Amino acid sequence: MSTSAISVRESEVLALLGEHLSNAEISSRLFISVRTVESHVSALLRKLDVADRRALARRAAELARAERPRPACALPTPLTAFVGRVRERAELAEAVKTRRQVTAVGPGGVGKTRLALAVAAEAAGDFADGVWFVDLAPVLDPGRVGAAVAAAVGVGEQPGRGIDEAVLAALADRQGLLVLDNCEQIRDGVAPFLERLLVACPRLRVLATSRARMMVPFEWVFPVPPLSFADGGDSEAVTLFMERAAAVGRPPDPAVRERIAALCERLDGMALAIELAAARWPTLGLDGLTAGLSDQLRILAGGPRADDRHRSVRAALDWSHDLLEPCDRALLRRISVFAMPFTADAATEVAAFAPLDPAAVADGLGRLAEQSLLTATPSAAGTRYQALETIRQYGTERLADATELTDVRSRHLGRCLAGATALTAAEAEGTDRPARFDALAEDMRAALAWAAGRPEQRADAYRLALAMGELTFARNLLGEAQQRFEQAAALAGEGEGEGAGVGAGDGAAALRQAAAVAGCRRLGDDMLRLHRAAAEAARRAGDTIGAGRDLSAAATVAYRFSSEFTRVPTADEVTAVLAEARQLSEGGDPAAEAALALAEAAVLADAFGAVQGAADNTAHETVELAEHAVELAGRAGDPVAESAALDALSGALTWAGDSFGAAAAARRRIDVLRPVPGTPAATHERMDALAMAAGTALGVGDLPQARRWGRQLADQPLFAEVGHHAMSWLLIADAFAGRAEEVLAGSTEFLDVWRRSGRQRSFSLGPAAASVAMIHGLRGDHEARAHWLAVVDRAGTTSEHRHGYGAVFDALVLLHHGDPDAALVRLAPEPDEVWKWVSWIWLHWYVALRAEASVLAGHPDARNRIAAARRTVTGNPVATAQLDRAEGLLDGDVTRQLAAAAAFDAAGCPYQAARTLLLAGPAHAEDGSAALARLGLTGG
């Protein structure tokens, strides 16, 4: 039989057989029982028509080789061939295979980068997960090392954790080689990042290039020597010169190789110096090169040998610079401000002032490329130019010597600000926007780093930081987005009283943005801190109404998102904030009134069911306060505020037992937010709205709609890196429907990402894990169910599991296996006794299961429980069908039971339809068993 008949779970078992794991080890890895593993192994032996486990392992290896994608090899492609260094390449290649971290050290221009690239390309096949290259030259902030690595590796940000943690998690079990180039300028950032990385990622190897060692554990230093010139005309140094000279014109006559060797010796075998000299061969010839370089080297002679090598590159650069026309010298120093490859148009904007005009810039770029002072790379968007980091540093020094640094940096800042403004414009939306941002991002960061410390540039720095906040948020760089908004706020505050055009009011607006980004990151402590900081900035600006609104928001988030705090604010703390907000909000401003009303619903009536909330809030009072907040938010015309108020109303209605009202409020949130642009606040609200809509749809038995909204939630860009959060509602919806294969397939990714994310707790993660446990229970795999219940203990909260979703899922398993007495014990409390745990989305499921268990267990009050449950669930198609089935069982009415089966099918719940056939008696049991088997379940 072909392998196409193999299920997803069987494929996973086969892959682990290929790793020669035992049944017990496979059981532990996949969270299934040993008995289930044995069943899958038997099926594989039959389907693949092989004799034993050994043959299965061989077949697994064959399939793995056939299907394994080529390892990633994200290395830049050099424009010229690599020359020589046979011994160094072999030694360094062996080192990166056997040592955790290798640092190739040497002076600028010795050839560290080219050697590292050559070694990495050769070694790529030895690393199953590939090779990644990170150029740290444009990175000025030591705190952004992790972000640079994340961009190279393809890791996005994850809510609830920083980008460094996301990188460590993503690479934790990867077998790859990470090449970090140009580490010296931010060694203070590289060293601590490497130390954490290598501890967390035991299969990862790092090859770094630097002018000095990193001084970290695991490091093995490889000094990169100059090119050898000991063999005279046959040396590596001469071979490099000959090849590079031939590339720019007429190749040298082989007869002069010995004289070229002498020249290379004067250049100390430094690769960059040799390449610069070779670029002048067509115009100067050997005599001209010898004379010019001899003067430079003689002037700079003396000092230790290591210094000589630095000096030989400096001499070659000085010499090459002095040979340029004055206009080209000006161009070389001015384009040194670019951190990233740039176009001729960009160079013109920055460098075209006296003595240069626009035409001179375009011509000069070509001449600099001919002299190997720039590299020119064609692209779809036109030719892009870039200087080596050593040449950039040299150009920056020359720029300062020419007293042009401030002028050129200001022009560069202006270009970056214009680019950022264009990208934030509404018409800039499009598929190419991310690429346009990426092309400009490092230059914007460099310009902002320079401008932020200069009072005369503060207004532009503020505007650039604010634009960077918007752009990085759109690029899903949430940590940087929050940082940039906070930076903008700080710049606005520093600019007060200096005529900079920005002040505390602007700072308050930026801090509100930062708070919204923190919300998207699930960082409750930061949300609270930033809303309070916004209030203080508004107060300094004389905006007491705005300050009151910000304090109301602070009080609201303390209760609304209480599960996202590392230190949950106490009720007394939040009540004090609310009291201050009430004082400042007097004055009749609609937005302030709406914000205060929401805060009162959250704090005084616990509309959101906060961790620090009282257990005895009055449900109807909560509904009234929430309705008032919705009314005021609608009157204020703020869709985001209206959605937040509707969330309070949805929560309040659940406390009141009105599941349909809660679901309607949740649906309304999505409608209200639909036309709102994707600002941080709107995005945060939209993610929460989709989660609540999916959950409340489940609560009223609308499984198809719950799945659709769950799918939309999973597709949110901010959830790209957190599959456990993204798929939680999908798992729950599929589990209730009984789609075992979908649940088991999704559970593998859920578990993997949850573990790598630090085993977080959440109101949706616990139920999701419990839904997987339930599916294992329905399959009769109680060992795997026990494994998943252990996950529930870590991912959810004890009270909710004991009285809420746990009771529902446990009862489903017990009823499936014919133990209604145990199910009735699990559901023993009256709904009013555990109202806070079951009155959210679990109420209808709880009362319907309780009624059915009462029937099957022969409870004397079964009929009354059915009647009471009907009053609660009327309008819920799944729960109504369940009660119809229970009543049919109580009355022995098979026709009614079969009608319930059809109703389950129509409601998108095939599991309950199949189970109904089993309960309907022997005449329908075979059809019921077949339907369960199609779902991947057993007959109980």
Side-chain angles (χ1 to χ4, degrees):
M1 182 177 292
S2 73
T3 58
S4 61
I6 295 176
S7 69
V8 173
R9 181 62 80 187
E10 287 167 347
S11 296
E12 294 168 347
V13 171
L14 181 61
L16 295 177
L17 287 169
E19 296 180 23
H20 304 287
L21 298 186
S22 68
N23 285 356
E25 290 170 325
I26 295 173
S27 164
S28 177
R29 185 82 66 88
L30 296 182
F31 274 68
I32 57 179
S33 69
V34 172
R35 180 168 59 83
T36 300
V37 176
E38 292 169 350
S39 171
H40 287 315
V41 171
S42 297
L44 287 166
L45 290 170
R46 174 174 48 81
K47 291 181 178 183
L48 296 178
D49 193 24
V50 295
D52 52 27
R53 289 175 66 96
R54 191 174 301 174
L56 278 179
R58 286 196 298 269
R59 187 63 182 275
E62 292 168 3
L63 290 172
R65 282 194 296 272
E67 296 174 4
R68 181 184 299 156
R70 292 174 62 90
C73 189
L75 298 174
T77 303
L79 299 177
T80 55
F82 187 79
V83 174
R85 296 199 183 275
V86 174
R87 181 188 61 79
E88 292 95 328
R89 287 167 74 175
E91 188 175 347
L92 196 54
E94 181 62 27
V96 298
K97 295 175 192 175
T98 58
R99 300 181 182 275
R100 296 297 314 281
Q101 195 244 308
V102 178
T103 304
V105 300
V110 76
K112 301 183 296 295
T113 298
R114 289 300 302 271
L115 177 60
L117 283 172
V119 168
E122 290 176 2
D126 297 317
F127 294 93
D129 293 307
V131 178
W132 305 278
F133 178 84
V134 186
D135 183 7
L136 294 173
V139 181
L140 303 178
D141 180 357
R144 288 197 52 77
V145 172
V149 174
V153 175
V155 173
E157 295 213 26
Q158 301 178 7
R161 69 193 321 180
I163 191 64
D164 286 13
E165 287 71 25
V167 171
L168 300 185
L171 298 179
D173 58 354
R174 305 288 284 276
Q175 185 200 8
L177 175 63
L178 183 65
V179 182
L180 299 178
D181 194 32
N182 292 304
C183 295
E184 60 275 350
Q185 86 243 14
I186 49 168
R187 191 169 54 163
D188 290 345
V190 176
F193 177 81
L194 275 181
E195 193 164 347
R196 294 177 61 200
L197 180 75
L198 293 170
V199 169
C201 309
R203 302 175 69 203
L204 194 69
R205 300 286 184 269
V206 174
L207 172 58
T209 73
S210 177
R211 296 186 186 185
R213 61 178 300 176
M214 296 289 101
M215 304 294 290
V216 293
F218 303 110
E219 183 179 33
W220 184 76
V221 177
F222 180 84
V224 178
L227 287 167
S228 170
F229 43 81
D231 294 333
D234 296 325
S235 66
E236 292 178 338
V238 172
T239 301
L240 176 65
F241 184 98
M242 298 288 283
E243 181 163 317
R244 298 297 189 261
V248 295
R250 178 176 52 85
D253 189 323
V256 301
R257 290 182 73 106
E258 292 299 329
R259 294 178 61 195
I260 291 174
L263 181 65
C264 292
E265 184 174 359
R266 290 180 177 177
L267 293 173
D268 290 313
M270 299 297 282
L272 176 58
I274 291 169
E275 294 199 14
L276 291 172
R280 289 289 184 173
W281 171 266
T283 55
L284 295 180
L286 184 57
D287 291 342
L289 289 173
T290 302
L293 285 170
S294 293
D295 288 341
Q296 290 289 335
L297 292 170
R298 185 166 52 252
I299 292 170
L300 296 169
R305 186 63 180 169
D307 286 345
D308 283 349
R309 289 174 184 164
H310 282 286
R311 292 175 184 225
S312 63
V313 173
R314 163 75 66 174
L317 286 168
D318 284 340
W319 166 78
S320 191
H321 173 269
D322 292 344
L323 289 174
L324 296 173
E325 294 295 326
C327 286
D328 290 348
R329 294 180 199 169
L331 180 59
L332 179 65
R333 63 179 179 260
R334 291 173 185 178
I335 54 92
S336 67
V337 296
F338 286 103
M340 297 288 287
F342 57 90
T343 64
D345 288 342
T348 299
E349 286 186 47
V350 170
F353 61 97
L356 295 176
D357 59 30
V361 170
D363 290 343
L365 291 173
R367 287 191 294 273
L368 293 177
E370 289 171 3
Q371 306 307 321
S372 294
L373 293 166
L374 289 180
T375 58
T377 307
S379 72
T383 301
R384 290 188 172 273
Y385 300 88
Q386 186 174 28
L388 292 175
E389 180 62 15
T390 300
I391 296 175
R392 278 190 62 228
Q393 293 171 5
Y394 178 85
T396 301
E397 292 176 10
R398 287 286 184 169
L399 196 60
D401 292 343
T403 65
E404 292 180 344
L405 185 61
T406 299
D407 197 0
V408 175
R409 285 283 187 195
S410 297
R411 287 170 172 266
H412 181 251
L413 171 64
R415 169 177 166 72
C416 291
L417 184 56
T421 302
L423 283 170
T424 55
E427 57 271 19
E429 297 287 348
T431 56
D432 67 334
R433 187 189 189 194
R436 291 168 59 200
F437 168 78
D438 292 345
L440 189 59
E442 289 298 347
D443 277 295
M444 289 193 290
R445 291 175 182 124
L448 182 55
W450 174 78
R454 288 163 175 75
E456 71 279 5
Q457 301 288 356
R458 194 158 288 140
D460 281 346
Y462 161 80
R463 284 188 280 273
L464 182 55
L466 198 64
M468 283 285 286
E470 294 180 33
L471 292 169
T472 50
F473 180 80
R475 198 68 177 93
N476 212 15
L477 303 174
L478 302 191
E480 184 176 3
Q482 183 180 329
Q483 175 195 351
R484 296 306 174 194
F485 283 127
E486 292 195 53
Q487 184 179 23
L491 288 164
E494 291 171 2
E496 290 182 82
E498 297 181 12
V502 292
D506 300 293
L511 287 165
R512 291 172 195 133
Q513 294 271 62
V517 178
C520 293
R521 301 178 69 200
R522 305 174 66 89
L523 301 177
D525 305 80
D526 276 4
M527 275 192 284
L528 180 61
R529 171 181 63 82
L530 290 164
H531 278 302
R532 298 187 73 170
E536 183 57 34
R539 202 194 313 252
R540 288 201 312 272
D543 181 10
T544 55
I545 295 295
R549 191 169 65 247
D550 291 322
L551 287 175
S552 293
T556 297
V557 301
Y559 268 58
R560 186 183 180 193
F561 303 108
S562 59
S563 64
E564 297 175 8
F565 281 77
T566 54
R567 189 195 73 82
V568 179
T570 66
D572 288 344
E573 289 177 71
V574 183
T575 301
V577 173
L578 179 58
E580 188 178 0
R582 192 179 288 117
Q583 287 181 339
L584 294 173
S585 298
E586 296 174 355
D589 179 78
E593 289 180 350
L596 182 60
L598 178 60
E600 289 176 337
V603 178
L604 302 181
D606 192 23
F608 299 106
V611 172
Q612 67 272 56
D616 57 352
N617 58 330
T618 304
H620 293 292
E621 179 188 348
T622 306
V623 171
E624 289 177 4
L625 287 173
E627 286 176 336
H628 182 56
V630 172
E631 179 188 355
L632 291 178
R635 205 181 294 167
D638 183 345
V640 173
E642 187 175 357
S643 171
L646 284 166
D647 189 29
L649 178 59
S650 181
L653 289 170
T654 63
W655 304 147
D658 184 358
S659 300
F660 294 103
R667 287 196 303 272
R668 188 173 154 197
R669 292 179 68 191
I670 293 177
D671 293 336
V672 165
L673 292 169
R674 188 168 286 116
V676 181
T679 63
T683 300
H684 182 213
E685 198 64 40
R686 186 172 286 114
M687 290 195 304
D688 185 75
L690 285 169
M692 292 301 102
T696 54
L698 280 169
V700 296
D702 191 349
L703 298 185
Q705 187 63 69
R707 198 175 200 286
R708 281 193 290 273
W709 276 324
R711 179 74 266 164
Q712 289 182 37
L713 181 66
D715 289 340
Q716 289 291 304
L718 296 189
F719 276 166
E721 301 293 326
V722 281
H724 55 316
H725 284 291
M727 68 175 56
S728 289
W729 293 111
L730 288 174
L731 286 173
I732 298 168
D734 282 339
F736 274 128
R739 297 186 177 91
E741 287 298 328
E742 287 89 338
V743 173
L744 295 180
S747 69
T748 302
E749 181 184 352
F750 175 94
L751 189 62
D752 180 55
V753 179
W754 175 72
R755 284 169 168 167
R756 288 192 284 110
S757 69
R759 292 175 165 81
Q760 299 167 319
R761 291 185 187 272
S762 164
F763 76 95
S764 63
L765 294 180
S771 73
V772 179
M774 181 193 77
I775 288 295
H776 282 297
L778 297 183
R779 288 165 57 87
D781 194 341
H782 298 294
E783 187 177 345
R785 180 168 180 256
H787 280 303
W788 274 92
L789 289 176
V791 175
V792 175
D793 289 340
R794 296 287 302 275
T797 58
T798 302
S799 296
E800 288 173 324
H801 184 232
R802 181 182 301 121
H803 302 303
Y805 62 81
V808 169
F809 289 131
D810 288 349
L812 280 165
V813 173
L814 291 167
L815 289 174
H816 180 84
H817 290 290
D819 193 351
D821 292 315
L824 200 54
V825 171
R826 192 70 177 86
L827 300 166
E830 292 286 343
D832 286 347
E833 295 176 29
V834 288
W835 67 271
K836 194 164 187 176
W837 312 117
V838 306
S839 67
W840 186 43
I841 69 171
W842 316 112
L843 177 61
H844 288 194
W845 298 94
Y846 188 93
V847 298
L849 283 165
R850 192 166 184 266
E852 180 179 307
S854 298
V855 170
L856 294 172
H859 193 281
D861 203 29
R863 197 173 297 278
N864 289 335
R865 289 184 176 182
I866 291 174
R870 282 197 188 281
R871 291 192 291 273
T872 298
V873 308
T874 299
N876 180 326
V878 177
T880 298
Q882 193 165 6
L883 294 175
D884 288 344
R885 181 178 67 195
E887 200 158 31
L889 288 167
L890 188 62
D891 296 335
D893 187 343
V894 175
T895 300
R896 191 166 190 186
Q897 294 174 49
L898 296 177
F904 280 126
D905 264 331
C909 193
Y911 162 67
Q912 291 292 359
R915 184 165 175 271
T916 304
L917 295 177
L918 288 177
L919 292 170
H924 306 283
E926 186 176 344
D927 289 341
S929 295
L932 286 176
R934 286 193 295 272
L935 291 170
L937 302 173
T938 66

